[in-house]
Amino acid sequence: MKIIFSHQNFPAQFGHFGAYLARTGWDVTFFTAAEAAKPPEGCRMVKMGAHREPGDQTHRYLRGLESAVLNAQGFANAAMRARAKIPEPDVVVAHSGWGSGSFAKAVWPETKFVSYAEWYYRWPPRDLGSEKPSQGPEDGRAYTMSRNLPMLLDFDQADRIWCPTGFQAAQFPEAYRQRMTVRHDGVDCETFSPAKAWVEGVPEDAELVTYATRGMEPHRGFPEFMRALAMLQKQRPKMHAVIAGQDRVAYGEKLPEGESWKARMLEELDLDLDRIHFVGLLPYAKYRELLQASMAHVYLTVPFVLSWSMIESMAVGCPMVVSDTPPVREVVTDGSMAEIVGLRDADAVARAIARLLDDPDMARRKGEMARRRVLAAYDRRWIWPARAQELAELATEIAG
């Protein structure tokens, strides 16, 4: 079988799965706009890109659509240039919403097209939590309708729609959910498994609390985590916290130029910074060791796309404190797997961390239950073969 994966970034959701397909005999090509990306062994890679940015005069409701169409045009142009070097695909799988593969059937009308769908925008935004929308309701509804247009373009062409979680799928209209396969991308439960580890620079007798994020923002509960640390530091002199991630807002409303949530928290709180270690973005192996060493790992999120890091933490057997929000509750179904707290309740976060640190046996049992849950529902060792079978069946399906 011949397959193309298209995504503005790489490896994103497709890189490791595509490499697996290549190892099992598939002919695999990646299309990406990531300039420095290199193809996995046994795979091809085609670089694509938009020839310009959206116009300054484009209506603000339509800038996302124009950007997606320009990306789609970039994909189509790259595909036409590469046609002499790559075989016609049986299937194209593309990350939807950005135009990455929207014109696949313009280039290959007979190919099967799979739309990978992450998020459907609604008004008021589901992921705002306690924040107030910055737009009025009429403007907000109109903008939201327009914001979904790139994804609807893909859905119109799609033979199948993939969505990684039930919570994400539930945001889409029923008509599209009927065509969806809801299945997670799969976690590497062999790499992310329990092991003894420690973090450089942290005393060996420390009580180690961890937090890992792309950016430091309210969407992922960063202010509440920092406020919980401030409370706990006064009670637990041996407690150290390691925070992995960048000092930026990855999700949610941006702060004014020059401000950050890290700076705000450091100004607001009385913290012993000798016991808080900001380590930035970690290489894969160091990130895994951080999770393996953790005595209490905190993952908080508004109702939004669930981070892979939460499921990887569970796979490692981390004792965890998690937010009582729908995407988390889909995975952590009860308190046997983690301490479950209110997202905006810093006091509850602090108490939950303390419970894990005070009772290591209980913490270990919760971690063991969390790993069992991931092995049963999120292990790529069974998810990838299931996905490969679905793609093979789709590729050989006779139209209409």
Side-chain angles (χ1 to χ4, degrees):
M1 295 290 174
K2 301 174 290 295
I3 190 167
I4 286 173
F5 292 99
S6 186
H7 197 298
Q8 295 302 109
N9 296 312
F10 183 87
Q13 291 93 346
F14 303 147
H16 299 298
F17 175 57
Y20 160 80
L21 290 181
R23 293 194 298 271
T24 60
W26 286 63
D27 185 295
V28 179
T29 304
F30 293 99
F31 278 64
T32 184
E35 294 183 4
K38 303 295 182 186
E41 185 176 352
C43 303
R44 299 182 202 85
M45 183 168 283
V46 176
K47 299 298 174 66
M48 62 183 183
H51 69 281
R52 66 171 176 84
E53 296 295 321
D56 293 337
Q57 299 305 311
T58 301
H59 193 290
R60 68 182 181 86
Y61 290 177
L62 296 178
R63 284 175 192 151
L65 177 60
E66 184 177 8
S67 178
V69 169
L70 289 165
N71 288 336
Q73 185 181 34
F75 166 84
N77 288 336
M80 288 186 289
R81 289 193 298 269
R83 272 196 292 208
K85 300 177 183 178
I86 64 174
E88 182 171 340
D90 299 299
V91 184
V92 173
V93 181
H95 185 260
S96 286
W98 305 96
S100 302
S102 299
F103 293 157
K105 288 203 175 191
V107 181
W108 298 290
E110 302 304 316
T111 194
K112 295 297 196 305
F113 178 58
V114 177
S115 164
Y116 184 97
E118 278 201 278
W119 193 248
Y120 191 83
Y121 295 98
R122 292 188 173 274
W123 183 264
R126 185 72 194 274
D127 59 321
L128 270 185
S130 60
E131 303 166 50
K132 291 184 178 180
S134 57
Q135 302 138 289
E138 296 82 8
D139 181 62
R141 281 192 288 268
Y143 174 63
T144 299
M145 292 174 189
S146 304
R147 200 173 182 186
N148 286 318
L149 287 172
M151 192 166 295
L152 299 182
L153 175 63
D154 282 10
F155 288 178
D156 184 61
Q157 303 295 318
D159 298 283
R160 194 73 49 88
I161 302 170
W162 280 357
C163 192
T165 71
F167 169 73
Q168 288 165 260
Q171 310 312 308
F172 290 83
E174 175 63 27
Y176 300 122
R177 294 204 300 271
Q178 293 175 1
R179 297 160 55 200
M180 277 184 179
T181 298
V182 179
R183 185 184 292 125
H184 196 262
D185 305 295
V187 168
D188 182 357
C189 292
E190 293 176 290
T191 297
F192 287 92
S193 59
K196 288 185 177 181
W198 199 243
V199 179
E200 186 177 349
V202 176
E204 292 185 5
D205 64 343
E207 297 176 324
L208 181 59
V209 178
T210 59
Y211 177 93
T213 179
R214 287 180 63 192
M216 300 174 191
E217 68 250 326
H219 255 52
R220 298 306 193 196
F222 178 73
E224 288 73 26
F225 174 69
M226 295 299 290
R227 289 168 184 143
L229 288 186
M231 298 175 207
L232 289 167
Q233 281 192 334
K234 294 176 173 60
Q235 306 160 12
R236 313 187 78 96
K238 288 188 175 182
M239 189 194 75
H240 282 244
V242 177
I243 299 171
Q246 293 180 308
D247 183 16
R248 68 184 182 100
V249 173
Y251 300 111
E253 190 171 347
K254 308 299 181 188
L255 292 175
E257 186 69 28
E259 293 189 33
S260 75
W261 283 102
K262 176 183 175 182
R264 285 188 176 188
M265 291 299 101
L266 295 184
E267 182 178 355
E268 172 189 320
L269 302 170
D270 180 16
L271 294 163
D272 177 359
L273 294 181
D274 289 337
R275 292 191 284 142
I276 300 179
H277 311 267
F278 291 95
V279 295
L281 291 178
L282 292 174
Y284 207 57
K286 292 293 184 183
Y287 161 63
R288 179 190 61 191
E289 289 174 3
L290 176 68
L291 298 179
Q292 290 170 334
S294 180
M295 297 176 182
H297 182 71
V298 179
Y299 178 80
L300 309 171
T301 185
V302 297
F304 190 55
V305 176
L306 191 75
S307 305
W308 281 8
S309 69
M310 180 186 145
I311 302 178
E312 289 166 343
S313 304
M314 293 173 68
V316 163
C318 266
M320 293 186 69
V321 176
V322 300
S323 56
D324 190 4
T325 44
V328 174
R329 278 291 202 169
E330 181 178 343
V331 184
V332 178
T333 56
D334 59 59
S336 70
M337 303 173 202
E339 293 288 322
I340 304 172
V341 299
L343 170 63
R344 300 305 182 200
D345 191 341
D347 290 315
V349 174
R351 291 194 300 270
I353 293 171
R355 283 194 294 272
L356 293 176
L357 297 178
D358 286 337
D359 193 340
D361 289 337
M362 178 268 286
R364 176 184 50 77
R365 289 193 298 271
K366 286 183 184 288
E368 289 172 350
M369 290 298 293
R371 178 166 171 80
R372 288 179 197 170
R373 167 70 171 149
V374 171
L375 289 172
Y378 300 96
D379 190 345
R380 74 184 193 183
R381 285 174 289 189
W382 70 263
I383 287 177
W384 284 2
R387 274 199 164 172
Q389 181 177 349
E390 181 184 2
L391 288 169
E393 291 172 355
L394 176 65
T396 55
E397 196 175 87
I398 298 174

